[in-house]
Amino acid sequence: FTALAEELERLGAVSDADKFVLLARWKKVSGKLRSGRFRVNTGWIPEQVLDQLINGSPVLERVTIPEGLTWWETGRRLEAAGMLRYEDFKKLVFDPQFLRHWGIPFDSAEGFLYPDTYLLMRPLELNEATARTVVGRLIDTFWRRTAPLWSDGKRPGPGKADEVRKLVILASIVEKETSVPAERSTVAGVYANRLRLG
């Protein structure tokens, strides 16, 4: 807390770091700080700054992952946004234990990094743990958004790995065949019929 108070004084958010530390101790809240980045106003009184650090919402960054990106393009985009290091991302995308944890029946997470606009908290430190959180968020979004496609409405278990594999590959093919959403069901139908007929 002392280091934070000194940084707040340096930035002009509080006028005296020592008095800010005493205020937090007096209110018995110095151990209740939330992690993250917070916006504070240099015109606020110290009690308002303290309240923001304890009860405020962290600043979230908007990061968009467009459809059709490869895993490495997704990793570079997340790195450029300051959310992770590319090398940590690459390691996780191919980590068998991480993939098994998320129910991914492939050698990589390609196809499971769900394209969407995410509101993410910029990590205070870039390391493998923060990359794990971000990549996990993309994969979790994949499973939540695709839940209605599965027979019981939830992520398929290991026994359905072949079904998951076929559908993700088919979706990838359809994605490359057409960029027009209205055409996707027709293209998917053509491939499904060809597969059915052998």
Side-chain angles (χ1 to χ4, degrees), residues 8-9 11-15 20 38-53 59:
L8 289 169
E9 181 180 357
L11 295 170
V14 297
S15 59
F20 190 68
F38 296 84
R39 281 200 171 88
V40 294
N41 189 314
T42 56
W44 287 352
I45 61 172
E47 286 86 354
Q48 287 174 298
V49 174
L50 191 58
D51 182 61
Q52 174 73 347
L53 299 175
V59 174

Side-chain angles (χ1 to χ4, degrees), residues 8-151:
L8 289 169
E9 181 180 357
R10 186 185 72 74
L11 295 170
V14 297
S15 59
D16 188 314
D18 294 332
K19 288 180 182 176
F20 190 68
V21 169
L22 289 174
L23 174 68
R25 284 187 188 149
W26 180 67
K27 291 190 169 258
K28 298 179 183 168
V29 294
S30 58
K32 296 182 180 179
L33 292 176
R34 299 183 64 195
S35 64
R37 298 176 189 273
F38 296 84
R39 281 200 171 88
V40 294
N41 189 314
T42 56
W44 287 352
I45 61 172
E47 286 86 354
Q48 287 174 298
V49 174
L50 191 58
D51 182 61
Q52 174 73 347
L53 299 175
I54 295 166
N55 301 313
S57 296
V59 174
L60 299 176
E61 307 278 336
R62 186 179 303 271
V63 180
T64 299
I65 307 298
E67 292 179 359
L69 292 186
T70 59
W71 69 264
W72 60 89
E73 291 169 322
T74 301
R76 292 291 184 205
R77 184 172 284 258
L78 289 166
E79 181 180 54
M83 296 299 159
L84 48 71
R85 291 184 309 214
Y86 178 79
E87 289 306 314
D88 294 329
F89 177 83
K90 180 180 178 181
K91 183 179 176 185
L92 285 172
V93 165
F94 292 97
D95 180 352
Q97 185 177 349
F98 182 75
L99 298 173
R100 196 170 32 259
H101 168 78
W102 284 103
I104 297 174
F106 291 110
D107 295 334
S108 80
E110 180 95 53
F112 292 84
L113 304 168
Y114 197 80
D116 203 353
T117 296
Y118 294 89
L119 291 174
L120 301 170
M121 185 171 69
R122 185 183 301 276
L124 298 175
E125 185 179 334
L126 298 178
N127 54 37
E128 192 174 328
T130 56
R132 185 175 298 274
T133 300
V134 174
V135 177
R137 173 89 180 272
L138 272 62
I139 296 170
D140 180 60
T141 302
F142 170 88
W143 287 119
R144 282 186 297 105
R145 294 285 178 89
T146 61
L149 303 175
W150 309 111
S151 56

Side-chain angles (χ1 to χ4, degrees), residues 155-171:
R155 183 167 91 186
K160 300 232 178 171
D162 285 339
E163 182 183 351
V164 172
R165 190 176 286 113
K166 286 176 187 173
L167 288 173
V168 171
I169 291 171
L170 179 58

